[in-house]
Amino acid sequence: MDLLGSRYLSAQPFAEIRCIARTRRHTRCLNRVLALRKPHGTWRLTTLLPGRTPVLPAAEIAVYDLEHLAHAEQHRWRAQRCPTHALITEAADMVPEGWQIFDPLLHHQHIATRLPAGQARQRERA
C-alpha cells in the first residue's frame, strides 16, 4: 500500500483492515478503515524499487495506492481509524497499528506482479 510517501505492508488485505480504536464499552471498534462514503485507493503497477537496480526477479509490483487522496484521509488510513473514530481524537487505541514498512527483500513472498482480477491498469505517475 502506498501511503504518505511510503510503502506499507498490512497484516491483512486492505478491505479487511479494522479500526484500532477502543469504544466506550472498552472493546475494539468493529468498523473497517475502508469506508463506502469515503474516497478509495486505486490499484496500480509500479516499480519495485524506484531508482535502484532490481535485485529480485520482479521489476514491478501491484500496490493499492492511496497517495492521490487528501492528506487528512491518508493520515486516517495510517492511524488505522474508521471515519467516526478519526474524528474522536480522545479515543484510545485498543491494539497497535498493523503496518510495517515494506521491504522487498524481507517481504518478497508478498510481491504481486499482477493487478487483482477486474482492476484496470493505472498509468504510472511521473
Side-chain angles (χ1 to χ4, degrees), residues 2 12 14 18 26 30 34 43 60 62-64 66 72 76 80-81 86 90-91 93 101 106 108 111 117 120 125:
D2 280 357
Q12 62 272 337
F14 76 91
R18 281 184 47 206
H26 302 287
L30 296 175
L34 181 68
W43 282 101
E60 286 190 316
V63 297
Y64 190 67
L66 297 166
R76 183 182 73 77
Q80 205 170 320
R81 296 289 181 121
E90 66 274 2
D93 293 346
I101 294 292
L106 295 175
H108 58 88
I111 295 174
R125 289 189 306 253

Side-chain angles (χ1 to χ4, degrees), residues 26-76:
H26 302 287
T27 60
R28 183 177 177 182
C29 176
L30 296 175
N31 295 331
R32 301 201 187 282
V33 176
L34 181 68
L36 295 177
R37 295 188 177 139
K38 289 288 189 177
H40 291 217
T42 55
W43 282 101
R44 68 182 175 95
L45 289 175
T46 187
T47 55
L48 184 61
L49 297 168
R52 297 165 124 184
T53 305
V55 293
L56 297 169
E60 286 190 316
I61 183 172
V63 297
Y64 190 67
D65 184 12
L66 297 166
E67 298 238 353
H68 64 281
L69 300 181
H71 196 70
E73 186 67 4
Q74 290 185 59
H75 273 283
R76 183 182 73 77

Side-chain angles (χ1 to χ4, degrees), residues 59-122:
E60 286 190 316
I61 183 172
V63 297
Y64 190 67
D65 184 12
L66 297 166
E67 298 238 353
H68 64 281
L69 300 181
H71 196 70
E73 186 67 4
Q74 290 185 59
H75 273 283
R76 183 182 73 77
W77 271 87
R78 178 63 184 90
Q80 205 170 320
R81 296 289 181 121
C82 68
T84 300
H85 284 111
L87 301 174
I88 305 172
T89 56
E90 66 274 2
D93 293 346
M94 187 71 176
V95 297
E97 296 166 352
W99 305 111
Q100 293 182 50
I101 294 292
F102 179 76
D103 182 326
L105 297 175
L106 295 175
H107 304 121
H108 58 88
Q109 70 274 20
H110 298 288
I111 295 174
T113 57
R114 295 182 195 164
L115 296 175
Q119 300 296 317
R121 183 179 175 132
Q122 299 291 318

